[in-house]
Amino acid sequence: MSAHAARPSADRARYDRATAHLDAPLAIADLTAFDANADDLVRRAQGKPIRVASKSVRCRALMERVLERDGFSGIMSFTLAESLWLARSGFDDVLLAYPSADRAHFAELTGDPKLAAAVTVVVDDRAQLDLIDAARRDGGGDEEVRVCLELDTALRLLGGRIRVGARRSPLRTPGQLAEIAGSIARRPGFRVVGLMAYEGHVAGVGDAVAGRPLRSRAVRLMQSAARRELAARRAETVRAVRAVAPDLEFVNGGGTGSVQHTAAEDAVTEIAAGSGLFVPRLFDNYTSFNGRPAALFAQPVVRRPGVGVVTVLGGGYPASGAAGADRLPQPYLPEGLRYDPQEGAGEVQTPLLGHAADDLLIGDKVWFRHAKAGELCERFDELQLVEGDRVVGTAPTYRGEGRTFL
């Protein structure tokens, strides 16, 4: 049973009281739950610092809040434009975790010593270095670029015929990483300072899916094998890279679903996590931790078409990834609501079925949990910050600050 399962009705009463003066649609961050989730991440990280994944938060105020806590250090960003904005906003350790082809912002990076000192960019191909050099020449900058290499973490079985894991870096073997690290060390204008490896098939796949015991067991077996294989390969890779890049400052790994496992590896110096602060619905299916939902949105009841059904405004906010029912928001509070299978979550209205519908009146709020974490903030300009049964403030999202980077 998840940690939040015993108190949904009490949470609904709190959220309704806190936002009684506000009209829906709206989104909230439950600060008590947010802080408790942060504490749990720190506990699982076993003393290793946690780098906050900005894509899973997308709210500067909340990132500042968590970085003030012991156990958190640095930001993992998702676009170059975002990275420079964060650096200019005072974040002095930003790891851009995805390759970029943004020439204009590379020209800014290489022309500004403050930005170049604060931002590290991921590279896994020499063509990316060529693009950065071209932007440097065009912009007239000469600042050294801090580089992080990415290791492919996918588990390969049956001689490589079966692949389990995201398709990210083309660099898989310690030799490949050492070779490109050596070539960068000999190339003016770049310095290898980091290595990252995101094991999404371990950190981002639930291993206790309700009603699917066989699949869940298969996932657990896969993840156990993947952790063993990656731990050995990551350690060997770090040794190989350090031999040619002695300035290596950090080795980043993990994700919310694998914090304690990745932290146990001696080769890893820091953990990446972000979704575990909000605990969206996709993280209900894990045996490794129990979190508290800390980010929710409310839609107003606008119709009562019949017995056992209400209609709320909007709500069709699917999450990224392979399309499926698990990518839809979850009608969360009151309990006992479900989508109409013929309509699902709608663009401008969403019918909801179930016994709880008969107790809802026009104007009442239905509370939803998004399937993924930070994507919720692309739908709302601000988060209402809730403590207990009061709104104690508001915080603009990236969208609210006019910053929709993707």
Side-chain angles (χ1 to χ4, degrees), residues 50-338:
I50 299 169
R51 186 180 290 273
V52 181
S54 66
K55 78 175 185 63
S56 299
V57 182
R58 303 192 200 199
C59 172
R60 277 199 303 162
L62 290 182
M63 291 192 293
E64 290 167 352
R65 182 185 183 92
V66 75
L67 285 170
E68 291 174 352
R69 306 173 71 89
D70 290 341
F72 291 85
S73 180
I75 294 285
M76 176 178 281
S77 59
F78 58 93
T79 74
L80 183 56
E82 177 211 16
S83 304
L84 302 191
W85 176 64
L86 291 174
R88 289 191 173 105
S89 300
F91 296 93
D92 60 3
D93 180 6
V94 182
L95 169 61
L96 173 57
Y98 305 87
S100 176
D102 185 343
R103 293 175 176 85
H105 284 104
F106 273 128
E108 289 186 34
L109 176 69
T110 56
D112 187 321
K114 178 184 176 182
L115 297 179
V119 176
T120 302
V121 303
V122 158
V123 166
D124 58 31
D125 191 309
R126 288 179 183 81
Q128 296 156 356
L129 300 171
D130 294 339
L131 185 145
I132 296 171
D133 265 337
R136 191 198 317 264
R137 289 192 300 271
D138 291 345
D142 60 0
E143 295 298 324
E144 183 178 67
V145 175
R146 293 167 52 86
V147 170
C148 174
L149 302 177
E150 182 169 3
L151 171 70
D152 171 51
T153 67
L155 176 65
R156 295 187 181 181
L157 305 170
L158 300 179
R161 292 191 293 275
I162 296 178
R163 174 194 175 96
V164 182
R167 297 183 182 276
R168 291 174 63 108
S169 173
L171 305 174
R172 175 171 180 80
T173 69
Q176 289 174 321
L177 270 294
E179 196 277 330
I180 193 170
S183 70
I184 293 173
R186 296 186 297 271
R187 184 168 181 158
F190 299 92
R191 180 162 56 97
V192 176
V193 299
L195 177 69
M196 71 168 285
Y198 171 57
E199 53 267 41
H201 50 303
V202 178
V205 178
D207 63 349
V209 181
R212 305 190 68 179
L214 294 180
R215 181 185 184 279
S216 297
R217 176 169 171 75
V219 168
R220 288 194 293 273
L221 290 172
M222 176 275 292
Q223 290 177 336
S224 179
R227 287 196 299 267
R228 290 193 301 272
E229 186 276 335
L230 179 58
R233 184 158 52 92
R234 179 154 41 199
E236 185 180 351
T237 300
V238 171
R239 288 192 295 270
V241 171
R242 284 195 188 279
V244 295
D247 292 335
L248 202 66
E249 299 171 5
F250 65 87
V251 177
N252 180 282
T256 288
S258 68
V259 170
Q260 64 269 43
H261 301 296
T262 308
E265 295 183 33
D266 291 338
V268 174
T269 66
E270 63 175 40
I271 309 299
S275 296
L277 296 168
F278 282 166
V279 186
R281 65 168 295 198
L282 284 178
F283 284 88
D284 287 349
N285 303 317
Y286 282 75
T287 58
S288 60
F289 77 103
N290 289 319
R292 293 177 56 181
L296 300 94
F297 67 94
Q299 302 295 111
V301 174
V302 293
R303 285 177 168 167
R304 291 172 49 88
V307 175
V309 56
V310 293
T311 301
V312 299
L313 184 71
Y317 306 156
S320 60
D326 65 340
R327 300 290 149 165
L328 296 178
Q330 174 194 28
Y332 178 51
L333 300 172
E335 296 179 279
L337 295 174
R338 65 186 186 278

